[in-house]
Amino acid sequence: MPHPILERLTGQHPVNRPVIGLAPMAGVTDIAFRQICEQLGADYSVCEMVASKPELLQTPKSQSRLHFTEHATPNIIQIVGNQPDEMAMATTHYIKQGAEIIDINLGCPAKKVNGTGAGSALLQSLDKVEAILRAVTAVSTVPVTLKTRLGWDHDNYTLLDIVQIAERVGISLITVHGRTRACRFNGNAQYDLIGQAKAATPLPMIVNGDIDSVEKAQQVLQQTQCDGIMVGRASLGNPWLFHTIRRELDCHFTAHDSAIDKIQLACKHIAHTQQLYGGITGVRYARKHIQKYLQHLTGTPDLFKNIASIDNAEAQLDVFAALLDNHANEDYADGLKTP
Ligand SMILES: Cc1cc2nc3c(=O)[nH]c(=O)nc-3n(C[C@H](O)[C@H](O)[C@H](O)COP(=O)(O)O)c2cc1C
């Protein structure tokens, strides 16, 4: 019997396919990128993490992370913090702002976050984790989920403990990045421990870490028996990955993904980013995506060495216009070859 949270995440009743989510990535998965990923087949996306400290709830940065996509997917806000009462207050605040699912960050390895005892630092203090989860679920009027890692380091795998706490306090879904905090992003994600945790709980579980192809998605789902996957870095410059995985898992989904369609979508992304942030901030936000798009579109990111020095959105778009011209000419040349 599929859990209602999966139905909410997929919009399907009953759920008869694995869920595919876009991972939260601070500084990357803003509304412009999430919108595109959902359009291309991601069942849901999570906003970039937001602070729970009362003095940070209304900052322009927190506010800018509260944009929700136009798709019929749930508005998921991920909160990060270390104090149960602050996390509870933040929950109430973000629900008022439109959050339909509250996700708790128990995985961020950043020094700035860990230095305040938040993110993956909480994995060293399971009592604190329980206190936070209890405080949040007690006030939340929407489902509460969490995202965690395997543990602090290889001598301290805490995933099974976290799962037990989650069950006790009424968490609706767990996402696991298959690394410890000590690994940060090094080495390979370990899926065996995620599979063991999944087998030990009735809670829905999403597997995350290093999923970058259809084959990997299928293998990881098979190995862990999880209810879905979450894709992060591999979608950068290649949001079509959601479409490709969705198509293979469903065998019927179709969307356009020719080179020209891809270039046009990249342009739409840049234009939306510029519209969101304006000026040089928009240019900077778009830059990291542009480099990744070029890598996937041309296989030769060095072709456009001066991308980092371009300081206006129009010139950024011109790079893609030039690519579009090249592709149009290729198509024309192909046409001439046709008998
Ligand atoms: C730039 C960047 C920012 C991230 N920000 C967050 C975040 O805000 N919240 C979170 O839970 N995880 C964050 N993560 C971790 C990802 O959600 C994901 O767990 C991790 O990248 C592993 O998945 P992947 O191999 O598919 O990228 C971030 C990762 C990156 C690379």
Side-chain angles (χ1 to χ4, degrees):
M1 179 70 179
H3 193 284
I5 189 97
L6 292 175
E7 294 176 353
R8 185 72 185 90
L9 290 177
T10 57
Q12 272 204 326
H13 175 77
V15 179
N16 54 13
R17 57 181 199 175
V19 176
I20 308 176
L22 167 66
M25 288 183 282
V28 177
T29 51
D30 57 11
I31 173 100
F33 192 56
R34 280 185 286 118
Q35 187 101 336
I36 282 175
C37 292
E38 290 188 2
Q39 183 187 332
L40 286 169
D43 291 307
Y44 68 100
S45 62
V46 183
C47 294
E48 304 158 87
M49 62 182 165
V50 285
S52 58
K53 290 238 160 281
E55 65 274 22
L56 298 178
L57 297 182
Q58 303 284 1
T59 60
K61 188 171 177 181
S62 294
Q63 290 300 310
S64 75
R65 292 184 169 186
L66 293 180
H67 291 129
F68 302 118
T69 63
E70 289 159 7
H71 303 267
T73 53
N75 304 335
I76 311 178
I77 292 286
Q78 187 190 65
I79 55 173
V80 64
N82 161 277
Q83 293 302 316
D85 55 337
E86 289 179 358
M87 292 289 268
M89 271 164 54
T91 297
T92 307
H93 168 80
Y94 289 122
I95 291 172
K96 277 193 199 132
Q97 303 267 312
E100 294 171 313
I101 292 177
I102 294 287
D103 188 55
I104 300 186
N105 184 319
L106 297 180
C108 180
K111 278 196 186 130
K112 204 169 141 193
V113 172
N114 288 177
T116 63
S120 58
L122 284 167
L123 300 181
Q124 293 178 303
S125 169
L126 295 179
D127 288 347
K128 193 64 162 295
V129 169
E130 180 149 1
I132 288 176
L133 298 187
R134 277 195 190 284
V136 170
T137 49
V139 299
S140 183
T141 50
V142 302
V144 180
T145 61
L146 66 83
K147 181 162 175 286
T148 189
R149 288 183 174 234
L150 300 177
W152 179 256
D153 59 25
H154 288 306
D155 294 324
N156 296 284
Y157 287 123
T158 43
L159 180 56
L160 286 173
D161 304 289
I162 295 286
V163 166
Q164 282 174 5
I165 297 171
E167 279 180 34
R168 279 204 292 277
V169 306
I171 292 294
S172 298
L173 172 140
I174 300 177
T175 303
V176 189
H177 176 188
R179 287 188 174 83
T180 63
R181 190 274 179 188
C183 292
R184 292 172 172 273
F185 291 92
N186 301 321
N188 297 322
Q190 284 175 267
Y191 306 115
D192 48 345
L193 293 172
I194 302 180
Q196 284 170 24
K198 172 63 195 167
T201 181
L203 287 180
M205 193 171 286
I206 306 292
V207 51
N208 166 243
D210 299 350
I211 299 170
D212 57 2
S213 65
V214 171
E215 294 73 24
K216 192 72 178 276
Q218 285 168 328
Q219 176 234 309
V220 167
L221 282 168
Q222 170 73 28
Q223 184 180 347
T224 62
Q225 293 295 304
C226 276
D227 303 276
I229 57 170
M230 178 178 265
V231 178
R233 291 165 296 169
S235 64
L236 264 168
N238 188 21
W240 297 274
L241 183 58
F242 291 104
H243 160 57
T244 316
I245 295 176
R246 184 82 281 161
R247 184 178 51 196
E248 288 305 313
L249 294 181
D250 291 5
C251 301
H252 59 72
F253 184 84
T254 50
H256 302 292
D257 53 3
S258 72
I260 291 180
D261 291 321
K262 289 181 175 183
I263 293 167
Q264 283 170 343
L265 192 87
C267 290
K268 206 168 128 191
H269 188 175
I270 297 166
H272 192 177
T273 305
Q274 182 56 216
Q275 191 192 332
L276 273 179
Y277 304 101
I280 191 66
T281 310
V283 169
R284 288 197 185 115
Y285 265 84
R287 231 174 239 159
K288 54 193 153 199
H289 289 283
I290 291 174
Q291 282 168 338
K292 291 287 184 178
Y293 276 123
L294 291 176
Q295 196 174 327
H296 282 278
L297 282 164
T298 65
T300 50
D302 292 348
L303 202 64
F304 302 95
K305 281 202 180 94
N306 63 341
I307 282 292
S309 61
I310 295 181
D311 61 2
N312 68 83
E314 262 178 44
Q316 288 181 321
L317 287 169
D318 283 347
V319 171
F320 288 92
L323 264 186
L324 202 56
D325 278 352
N326 285 349
H327 277 283
N329 288 340
E330 272 169 29
D331 287 352
Y332 186 59
D334 282 349
L336 286 180
K337 276 185 232 144
T338 314

